[in-house]
Amino acid sequence: MARNRVKMVYVENDTSRKATFRKRKGGIMKKALELSTLCDVPVAVIIESEYNSVPEVFPASREAMGTLLAKWDKLSLVDRTKKMVNQETFLNQRIAKATEKCKKVTKENRELEVKKVMFDCLTEKTAPCLLGKNELLDLGGVVDQYIKGLNRRIEFLTKNDDASSSTSVVPAAAAAATSLAMPRAEMGSYSTGFNDTIQENMNVMPIVKDFDLNQMQSEEL
Amino acid sequence: MARNRVKMVYVENDTSRKATFRKRKGGIMKKALELSTLCDVPVAVIIESEYNSVPEVFPASREAMGTLLAKWDKLSLVDRTKKMVNQETFLNQRIAKATEKCKKVTKENRELEVKKVMFDCLTEKTAPCLLGKNELLDLGGVVDQYIKGLNRRIEFLTKNDDASSSTSVVPAAAAAATSLAMPRAEMGSYSTGFNDTIQENMNVMPIVKDFDLNQMQSEEL
DNA sequence: CTGTCTATCTTTAGCAG
DNA sequence: CCTGCTAAAGATAGACA
């Protein structure tokens, strides 16, 4: 978890594995204690270790532990199976969630790519004629959205800010760039240098979001 | 755990508590899954929640869970009690460890304070005559150690570095300062400006180590 | 409420003693 | 093997959509 990102696979090296085991066991026990303290819920953790001949460990109090296990014993076979199945469903749920997130990120990335192309066009790095039909359609959609934002922007400026109302006569492309930059400018002073704005956005655009299943937390169960 | 350091006490606010519960439960489940993956050990976590009518959760597989609980059932009353008692001892062990660490940090801090006084004396901010008997004794000890370090330093330089051997004639106080700075200089070039060295150390000295029990991990159990 | 963001706090992998 | 350190990865409280 530190220094190097660690792969979530069995640690082959005996020494490292033992070290990891000890550290992480301590970590879980602490977390369990914290959860039970913060939320006043009974928590039990059982860890079977090859290093401990009496291999169970519990952060719960003696009584709480007994109660927890008793409850488990008393669960109907149906409920128990249901819960057990939940465990089998555990990974499936994570996968489903991850898939959904992955889709979303992919979509966002496509949008970012299109925006990048748009700015490339503005700075003449890429000729639109080199693009395929689908790319052009996507690009058209993005540009349309920018122009819509631009119109709202013009309306806003015309109503509220005389000094800036002159922006309503700039070429559409530069205005679109301004529009894109708006979210950042909203809380401060408004940007007026279009080339700067474009350049600024050029630096931001290439960022493509990364995605990692392991980064996701189970949440929900 | 973020934005604000959180006190380890029951969270009164219902909304916050539920949010904390959900987040931390997810966190523990993930950690449990990671531990069992990395070290290939069976892990079970049972969390009884007021929000879940069938209030138990397990990251372990169906079989592993059964095995774990069976093992617990088969534990002799003696072993079980021993383990249980361990839970009662849990906090005591943490307290013991914390106390020990606290002592250590306190001692380190006292040494740092003494060093600070020593450098104050060198820069004439504090007259030694204003100090009490114990402080003077401590100070004497520290100065002695510096002088010892100085002698080793002189010996080293006399043997290995003709250009620097002239330092063997500097006043003891400045030499002591050099000695103190040595650990940092050992891997690079040697410091030669004594006033700079003193000033540099003045900036470092006032750092007094902090100590927090919650920062400690249970480790060991 | 459920999901998202992010400034901070916490955990821990890899080393050195 | 254990202990301590530290930089980097991870978890999460609080605020917000």
mmCIF file with all atom_site columns, all heavy atoms in Angstrom, chain A residues 102-120:
data_model
loop_
_atom_site.group_PDB
_atom_site.id
_atom_site.type_symbol
_atom_site.label_atom_id
_atom_site.label_alt_id
_atom_site.label_comp_id
_atom_site.label_asym_id
_atom_site.label_entity_id
_atom_site.label_seq_id
_atom_site.pdbx_PDB_ins_code
_atom_site.Cartn_x
_atom_site.Cartn_y
_atom_site.Cartn_z
_atom_site.occupancy
_atom_site.B_iso_or_equiv
_atom_site.pdbx_formal_charge
_atom_site.auth_seq_id
_atom_site.auth_comp_id
_atom_site.auth_asym_id
_atom_site.auth_atom_id
_atom_site.pdbx_PDB_model_num
ATOM 1   N N   . CYS A 1 102 ? -16.675 1.776  -14.815 1.00 0.00 ? 102 CYS A N   1
ATOM 2   C CA  . CYS A 1 102 ? -15.780 1.707  -15.966 1.00 0.00 ? 102 CYS A CA  1
ATOM 3   C C   . CYS A 1 102 ? -16.455 2.331  -17.180 1.00 0.00 ? 102 CYS A C   1
ATOM 4   O O   . CYS A 1 102 ? -15.842 3.132  -17.899 1.00 0.00 ? 102 CYS A O   1
ATOM 5   C CB  . CYS A 1 102 ? -15.417 0.262  -16.245 1.00 0.00 ? 102 CYS A CB  1
ATOM 6   S SG  . CYS A 1 102 ? -14.118 0.062  -17.471 1.00 0.00 ? 102 CYS A SG  1
ATOM 7   N N   . LYS A 1 103 ? -17.713 1.961  -17.391 1.00 0.00 ? 103 LYS A N   1
ATOM 8   C CA  . LYS A 1 103 ? -18.473 2.540  -18.489 1.00 0.00 ? 103 LYS A CA  1
ATOM 9   C C   . LYS A 1 103 ? -18.458 4.057  -18.405 1.00 0.00 ? 103 LYS A C   1
ATOM 10  O O   . LYS A 1 103 ? -18.188 4.761  -19.370 1.00 0.00 ? 103 LYS A O   1
ATOM 11  C CB  . LYS A 1 103 ? -19.930 2.076  -18.400 1.00 0.00 ? 103 LYS A CB  1
ATOM 12  C CG  . LYS A 1 103 ? -20.314 0.998  -19.397 1.00 0.00 ? 103 LYS A CG  1
ATOM 13  C CD  . LYS A 1 103 ? -21.816 0.763  -19.327 1.00 0.00 ? 103 LYS A CD  1
ATOM 14  C CE  . LYS A 1 103 ? -22.228 -0.548 -19.960 1.00 0.00 ? 103 LYS A CE  1
ATOM 15  N NZ  . LYS A 1 103 ? -23.585 -0.963 -19.547 1.00 0.00 ? 103 LYS A NZ  1
ATOM 16  N N   . LYS A 1 104 ? -18.768 4.520  -17.212 1.00 0.00 ? 104 LYS A N   1
ATOM 17  C CA  . LYS A 1 104 ? -18.859 5.961  -17.002 1.00 0.00 ? 104 LYS A CA  1
ATOM 18  C C   . LYS A 1 104 ? -17.541 6.646  -17.349 1.00 0.00 ? 104 LYS A C   1
ATOM 19  O O   . LYS A 1 104 ? -17.511 7.650  -18.059 1.00 0.00 ? 104 LYS A O   1
ATOM 20  C CB  . LYS A 1 104 ? -19.226 6.231  -15.542 1.00 0.00 ? 104 LYS A CB  1
ATOM 21  C CG  . LYS A 1 104 ? -19.711 7.628  -15.267 1.00 0.00 ? 104 LYS A CG  1
ATOM 22  C CD  . LYS A 1 104 ? -20.135 7.751  -13.808 1.00 0.00 ? 104 LYS A CD  1
ATOM 23  C CE  . LYS A 1 104 ? -20.387 9.187  -13.413 1.00 0.00 ? 104 LYS A CE  1
ATOM 24  N NZ  . LYS A 1 104 ? -20.638 9.285  -11.948 1.00 0.00 ? 104 LYS A NZ  1
ATOM 25  N N   . VAL A 1 105 ? -16.458 6.067  -16.812 1.00 0.00 ? 105 VAL A N   1
ATOM 26  C CA  . VAL A 1 105 ? -15.150 6.663  -17.059 1.00 0.00 ? 105 VAL A CA  1
ATOM 27  C C   . VAL A 1 105 ? -14.825 6.631  -18.543 1.00 0.00 ? 105 VAL A C   1
ATOM 28  O O   . VAL A 1 105 ? -14.299 7.592  -19.104 1.00 0.00 ? 105 VAL A O   1
ATOM 29  C CB  . VAL A 1 105 ? -14.067 5.930  -16.249 1.00 0.00 ? 105 VAL A CB  1
ATOM 30  C CG1 . VAL A 1 105 ? -12.691 6.401  -16.648 1.00 0.00 ? 105 VAL A CG1 1
ATOM 31  C CG2 . VAL A 1 105 ? -14.291 6.151  -14.764 1.00 0.00 ? 105 VAL A CG2 1
ATOM 32  N N   . THR A 1 106 ? -15.155 5.526  -19.181 1.00 0.00 ? 106 THR A N   1
ATOM 33  C CA  . THR A 1 106 ? -14.908 5.417  -20.616 1.00 0.00 ? 106 THR A CA  1
ATOM 34  C C   . THR A 1 106 ? -15.633 6.528  -21.367 1.00 0.00 ? 106 THR A C   1
ATOM 35  O O   . THR A 1 106 ? -15.064 7.185  -22.241 1.00 0.00 ? 106 THR A O   1
ATOM 36  C CB  . THR A 1 106 ? -15.393 4.054  -21.133 1.00 0.00 ? 106 THR A CB  1
ATOM 37  O OG1 . THR A 1 106 ? -14.718 3.031  -20.426 1.00 0.00 ? 106 THR A OG1 1
ATOM 38  C CG2 . THR A 1 106 ? -15.123 3.920  -22.626 1.00 0.00 ? 106 THR A CG2 1
ATOM 39  N N   . LYS A 1 107 ? -16.891 6.736  -20.986 1.00 0.00 ? 107 LYS A N   1
ATOM 40  C CA  . LYS A 1 107 ? -17.673 7.774  -21.631 1.00 0.00 ? 107 LYS A CA  1
ATOM 41  C C   . LYS A 1 107 ? -17.038 9.147  -21.414 1.00 0.00 ? 107 LYS A C   1
ATOM 42  O O   . LYS A 1 107 ? -16.867 9.926  -22.357 1.00 0.00 ? 107 LYS A O   1
ATOM 43  C CB  . LYS A 1 107 ? -19.093 7.773  -21.061 1.00 0.00 ? 107 LYS A CB  1
ATOM 44  C CG  . LYS A 1 107 ? -20.070 8.628  -21.838 1.00 0.00 ? 107 LYS A CG  1
ATOM 45  C CD  . LYS A 1 107 ? -21.435 8.615  -21.157 1.00 0.00 ? 107 LYS A CD  1
ATOM 46  C CE  . LYS A 1 107 ? -22.341 9.707  -21.734 1.00 0.00 ? 107 LYS A CE  1
ATOM 47  N NZ  . LYS A 1 107 ? -23.518 9.920  -20.856 1.00 0.00 ? 107 LYS A NZ  1
ATOM 48  N N   . GLU A 1 108 ? -16.654 9.393  -20.169 1.00 0.00 ? 108 GLU A N   1
ATOM 49  C CA  . GLU A 1 108 ? -16.019 10.677 -19.864 1.00 0.00 ? 108 GLU A CA  1
ATOM 50  C C   . GLU A 1 108 ? -14.760 10.856 -20.693 1.00 0.00 ? 108 GLU A C   1
ATOM 51  O O   . GLU A 1 108 ? -14.488 11.935 -21.210 1.00 0.00 ? 108 GLU A O   1
ATOM 52  C CB  . GLU A 1 108 ? -15.683 10.751 -18.372 1.00 0.00 ? 108 GLU A CB  1
ATOM 53  C CG  . GLU A 1 108 ? -16.882 10.979 -17.484 1.00 0.00 ? 108 GLU A CG  1
ATOM 54  C CD  . GLU A 1 108 ? -16.512 10.953 -16.015 1.00 0.00 ? 108 GLU A CD  1
ATOM 55  O OE1 . GLU A 1 108 ? -15.302 10.782 -15.713 1.00 0.00 ? 108 GLU A OE1 1
ATOM 56  O OE2 . GLU A 1 108 ? -17.399 11.088 -15.174 1.00 0.00 ? 108 GLU A OE2 1
ATOM 57  N N   . ASN A 1 109 ? -14.001 9.761  -20.798 1.00 0.00 ? 109 ASN A N   1
ATOM 58  C CA  . ASN A 1 109 ? -12.758 9.846  -21.557 1.00 0.00 ? 109 ASN A CA  1
ATOM 59  C C   . ASN A 1 109 ? -13.033 10.167 -23.023 1.00 0.00 ? 109 ASN A C   1
ATOM 60  O O   . ASN A 1 109 ? -12.308 10.955 -23.633 1.00 0.00 ? 109 ASN A O   1
ATOM 61  C CB  . ASN A 1 109 ? -11.983 8.534  -21.441 1.00 0.00 ? 109 ASN A CB  1
ATOM 62  C CG  . ASN A 1 109 ? -11.217 8.455  -20.140 1.00 0.00 ? 109 ASN A CG  1
ATOM 63  O OD1 . ASN A 1 109 ? -11.045 9.470  -19.468 1.00 0.00 ? 109 ASN A OD1 1
ATOM 64  N ND2 . ASN A 1 109 ? -10.778 7.276  -19.776 1.00 0.00 ? 109 ASN A ND2 1
ATOM 65  N N   . ARG A 1 110 ? -14.092 9.551  -23.572 1.00 0.00 ? 110 ARG A N   1
ATOM 66  C CA  . ARG A 1 110 ? -14.407 9.837  -24.968 1.00 0.00 ? 110 ARG A CA  1
ATOM 67  C C   . ARG A 1 110 ? -14.699 11.325 -25.123 1.00 0.00 ? 110 ARG A C   1
ATOM 68  O O   . ARG A 1 110 ? -14.228 11.969 -26.055 1.00 0.00 ? 110 ARG A O   1
ATOM 69  C CB  . ARG A 1 110 ? -15.596 8.998  -25.422 1.00 0.00 ? 110 ARG A CB  1
ATOM 70  C CG  . ARG A 1 110 ? -15.748 8.958  -26.930 1.00 0.00 ? 110 ARG A CG  1
ATOM 71  C CD  . ARG A 1 110 ? -16.790 7.931  -27.338 1.00 0.00 ? 110 ARG A CD  1
ATOM 72  N NE  . ARG A 1 110 ? -16.440 6.592  -26.928 1.00 0.00 ? 110 ARG A NE  1
ATOM 73  C CZ  . ARG A 1 110 ? -17.292 5.717  -26.389 1.00 0.00 ? 110 ARG A CZ  1
ATOM 74  N NH1 . ARG A 1 110 ? -18.546 6.055  -26.198 1.00 0.00 ? 110 ARG A NH1 1
ATOM 75  N NH2 . ARG A 1 110 ? -16.881 4.523  -26.049 1.00 0.00 ? 110 ARG A NH2 1
ATOM 76  N N   . GLU A 1 111 ? -15.465 11.852 -24.174 1.00 0.00 ? 111 GLU A N   1
ATOM 77  C CA  . GLU A 1 111 ? -15.778 13.280 -24.247 1.00 0.00 ? 111 GLU A CA  1
ATOM 78  C C   . GLU A 1 111 ? -14.524 14.127 -24.184 1.00 0.00 ? 111 GLU A C   1
ATOM 79  O O   . GLU A 1 111 ? -14.379 15.105 -24.911 1.00 0.00 ? 111 GLU A O   1
ATOM 80  C CB  . GLU A 1 111 ? -16.738 13.660 -23.112 1.00 0.00 ? 111 GLU A CB  1
ATOM 81  C CG  . GLU A 1 111 ? -18.155 13.131 -23.357 1.00 0.00 ? 111 GLU A CG  1
ATOM 82  C CD  . GLU A 1 111 ? -19.095 13.543 -22.238 1.00 0.00 ? 111 GLU A CD  1
ATOM 83  O OE1 . GLU A 1 111 ? -18.698 14.410 -21.425 1.00 0.00 ? 111 GLU A OE1 1
ATOM 84  O OE2 . GLU A 1 111 ? -20.209 13.010 -22.183 1.00 0.00 ? 111 GLU A OE2 1
ATOM 85  N N   . LEU A 1 112 ? -13.612 13.719 -23.302 1.00 0.00 ? 112 LEU A N   1
ATOM 86  C CA  . LEU A 1 112 ? -12.377 14.481 -23.178 1.00 0.00 ? 112 LEU A CA  1
ATOM 87  C C   . LEU A 1 112 ? -11.582 14.429 -24.479 1.00 0.00 ? 112 LEU A C   1
ATOM 88  O O   . LEU A 1 112 ? -11.021 15.431 -24.922 1.00 0.00 ? 112 LEU A O   1
ATOM 89  C CB  . LEU A 1 112 ? -11.530 13.932 -22.024 1.00 0.00 ? 112 LEU A CB  1
ATOM 90  C CG  . LEU A 1 112 ? -12.080 14.226 -20.629 1.00 0.00 ? 112 LEU A CG  1
ATOM 91  C CD1 . LEU A 1 112 ? -11.227 13.545 -19.561 1.00 0.00 ? 112 LEU A CD1 1
ATOM 92  C CD2 . LEU A 1 112 ? -12.121 15.731 -20.370 1.00 0.00 ? 112 LEU A CD2 1
ATOM 93  N N   . GLU A 1 113 ? -11.562 13.254 -25.096 1.00 0.00 ? 113 GLU A N   1
ATOM 94  C CA  . GLU A 1 113 ? -10.841 13.117 -26.356 1.00 0.00 ? 113 GLU A CA  1
ATOM 95  C C   . GLU A 1 113 ? -11.427 14.053 -27.406 1.00 0.00 ? 113 GLU A C   1
ATOM 96  O O   . GLU A 1 113 ? -10.706 14.748 -28.129 1.00 0.00 ? 113 GLU A O   1
ATOM 97  C CB  . GLU A 1 113 ? -10.934 11.669 -26.867 1.00 0.00 ? 113 GLU A CB  1
ATOM 98  C CG  . GLU A 1 113 ? -10.423 10.631 -25.905 1.00 0.00 ? 113 GLU A CG  1
ATOM 99  C CD  . GLU A 1 113 ? -9.012  10.196 -26.241 1.00 0.00 ? 113 GLU A CD  1
ATOM 100 O OE1 . GLU A 1 113 ? -8.375  10.875 -27.054 1.00 0.00 ? 113 GLU A OE1 1
ATOM 101 O OE2 . GLU A 1 113 ? -8.558  9.179  -25.676 1.00 0.00 ? 113 GLU A OE2 1
ATOM 102 N N   . VAL A 1 114 ? -12.753 14.062 -27.470 1.00 0.00 ? 114 VAL A N   1
ATOM 103 C CA  . VAL A 1 114 ? -13.400 14.920 -28.453 1.00 0.00 ? 114 VAL A CA  1
ATOM 104 C C   . VAL A 1 114 ? -13.055 16.382 -28.196 1.00 0.00 ? 114 VAL A C   1
ATOM 105 O O   . VAL A 1 114 ? -12.740 17.138 -29.121 1.00 0.00 ? 114 VAL A O   1
ATOM 106 C CB  . VAL A 1 114 ? -14.922 14.710 -28.433 1.00 0.00 ? 114 VAL A CB  1
ATOM 107 C CG1 . VAL A 1 114 ? -15.600 15.726 -29.342 1.00 0.00 ? 114 VAL A CG1 1
ATOM 108 C CG2 . VAL A 1 114 ? -15.263 13.300 -28.883 1.00 0.00 ? 114 VAL A CG2 1
ATOM 109 N N   . LYS A 1 115 ? -13.090 16.758 -26.915 1.00 0.00 ? 115 LYS A N   1
ATOM 110 C CA  . LYS A 1 115 ? -12.741 18.143 -26.601 1.00 0.00 ? 115 LYS A CA  1
ATOM 111 C C   . LYS A 1 115 ? -11.322 18.451 -27.046 1.00 0.00 ? 115 LYS A C   1
ATOM 112 O O   . LYS A 1 115 ? -11.033 19.517 -27.568 1.00 0.00 ? 115 LYS A O   1
ATOM 113 C CB  . LYS A 1 115 ? -12.879 18.389 -25.090 1.00 0.00 ? 115 LYS A CB  1
ATOM 114 C CG  . LYS A 1 115 ? -14.319 18.555 -24.647 1.00 0.00 ? 115 LYS A CG  1
ATOM 115 C CD  . LYS A 1 115 ? -14.398 18.953 -23.187 1.00 0.00 ? 115 LYS A CD  1
ATOM 116 C CE  . LYS A 1 115 ? -15.826 18.978 -22.704 1.00 0.00 ? 115 LYS A CE  1
ATOM 117 N NZ  . LYS A 1 115 ? -15.914 19.238 -21.241 1.00 0.00 ? 115 LYS A NZ  1
ATOM 118 N N   . LYS A 1 116 ? -10.452 17.484 -26.814 1.00 0.00 ? 116 LYS A N   1
ATOM 119 C CA  . LYS A 1 116 ? -9.059  17.683 -27.214 1.00 0.00 ? 116 LYS A CA  1
ATOM 120 C C   . LYS A 1 116 ? -8.981  17.931 -28.718 1.00 0.00 ? 116 LYS A C   1
ATOM 121 O O   . LYS A 1 116 ? -8.302  18.856 -29.175 1.00 0.00 ? 116 LYS A O   1
ATOM 122 C CB  . LYS A 1 116 ? -8.240  16.441 -26.854 1.00 0.00 ? 116 LYS A CB  1
ATOM 123 C CG  . LYS A 1 116 ? -6.752  16.595 -27.162 1.00 0.00 ? 116 LYS A CG  1
ATOM 124 C CD  . LYS A 1 116 ? -5.980  15.388 -26.696 1.00 0.00 ? 116 LYS A CD  1
ATOM 125 C CE  . LYS A 1 116 ? -4.493  15.557 -26.921 1.00 0.00 ? 116 LYS A CE  1
ATOM 126 N NZ  . LYS A 1 116 ? -4.146  16.253 -28.153 1.00 0.00 ? 116 LYS A NZ  1
ATOM 127 N N   . VAL A 1 117 ? -9.707  17.114 -29.462 1.00 0.00 ? 117 VAL A N   1
ATOM 128 C CA  . VAL A 1 117 ? -9.700  17.285 -30.913 1.00 0.00 ? 117 VAL A CA  1
ATOM 129 C C   . VAL A 1 117 ? -10.187 18.681 -31.261 1.00 0.00 ? 117 VAL A C   1
ATOM 130 O O   . VAL A 1 117 ? -9.609  19.371 -32.105 1.00 0.00 ? 117 VAL A O   1
ATOM 131 C CB  . VAL A 1 117 ? -10.599 16.231 -31.589 1.00 0.00 ? 117 VAL A CB  1
ATOM 132 C CG1 . VAL A 1 117 ? -10.808 16.578 -33.068 1.00 0.00 ? 117 VAL A CG1 1
ATOM 133 C CG2 . VAL A 1 117 ? -9.982  14.854 -31.458 1.00 0.00 ? 117 VAL A CG2 1
ATOM 134 N N   . MET A 1 118 ? -11.255 19.105 -30.566 1.00 0.00 ? 118 MET A N   1
ATOM 135 C CA  . MET A 1 118 ? -11.798 20.428 -30.869 1.00 0.00 ? 118 MET A CA  1
ATOM 136 C C   . MET A 1 118 ? -10.746 21.503 -30.688 1.00 0.00 ? 118 MET A C   1
ATOM 137 O O   . MET A 1 118 ? -10.575 22.380 -31.542 1.00 0.00 ? 118 MET A O   1
ATOM 138 C CB  . MET A 1 118 ? -13.003 20.714 -29.979 1.00 0.00 ? 118 MET A CB  1
ATOM 139 C CG  . MET A 1 118 ? -13.714 21.983 -30.378 1.00 0.00 ? 118 MET A CG  1
ATOM 140 S SD  . MET A 1 118 ? -15.161 22.283 -29.365 1.00 0.00 ? 118 MET A SD  1
ATOM 141 C CE  . MET A 1 118 ? -14.397 22.874 -27.888 1.00 0.00 ? 118 MET A CE  1
ATOM 142 N N   . PHE A 1 119 ? -10.000 21.399 -29.574 1.00 0.00 ? 119 PHE A N   1
ATOM 143 C CA  . PHE A 1 119 ? -8.988  22.422 -29.339 1.00 0.00 ? 119 PHE A CA  1
ATOM 144 C C   . PHE A 1 119 ? -7.835  22.276 -30.312 1.00 0.00 ? 119 PHE A C   1
ATOM 145 O O   . PHE A 1 119 ? -7.213  23.263 -30.703 1.00 0.00 ? 119 PHE A O   1
ATOM 146 C CB  . PHE A 1 119 ? -8.508  22.386 -27.889 1.00 0.00 ? 119 PHE A CB  1
ATOM 147 C CG  . PHE A 1 119 ? -9.490  23.050 -26.979 1.00 0.00 ? 119 PHE A CG  1
ATOM 148 C CD1 . PHE A 1 119 ? -10.360 22.318 -26.201 1.00 0.00 ? 119 PHE A CD1 1
ATOM 149 C CD2 . PHE A 1 119 ? -9.571  24.445 -26.942 1.00 0.00 ? 119 PHE A CD2 1
ATOM 150 C CE1 . PHE A 1 119 ? -11.286 22.943 -25.387 1.00 0.00 ? 119 PHE A CE1 1
ATOM 151 C CE2 . PHE A 1 119 ? -10.495 25.071 -26.129 1.00 0.00 ? 119 PHE A CE2 1
ATOM 152 C CZ  . PHE A 1 119 ? -11.354 24.325 -25.353 1.00 0.00 ? 119 PHE A CZ  1
ATOM 153 N N   . ASP A 1 120 ? -7.544  21.045 -30.702 1.00 0.00 ? 120 ASP A N   1
ATOM 154 C CA  . ASP A 1 120 ? -6.522  20.856 -31.732 1.00 0.00 ? 120 ASP A CA  1
ATOM 155 C C   . ASP A 1 120 ? -6.939  21.582 -33.003 1.00 0.00 ? 120 ASP A C   1
ATOM 156 O O   . ASP A 1 120 ? -6.123  22.212 -33.678 1.00 0.00 ? 120 ASP A O   1
ATOM 157 C CB  . ASP A 1 120 ? -6.337  19.360 -32.034 1.00 0.00 ? 120 ASP A CB  1
ATOM 158 C CG  . ASP A 1 120 ? -5.436  18.696 -31.000 1.00 0.00 ? 120 ASP A CG  1
ATOM 159 O OD1 . ASP A 1 120 ? -4.818  19.441 -30.208 1.00 0.00 ? 120 ASP A OD1 1
ATOM 160 O OD2 . ASP A 1 120 ? -5.362  17.463 -30.979 1.00 0.00 ? 120 ASP A OD2 1
#
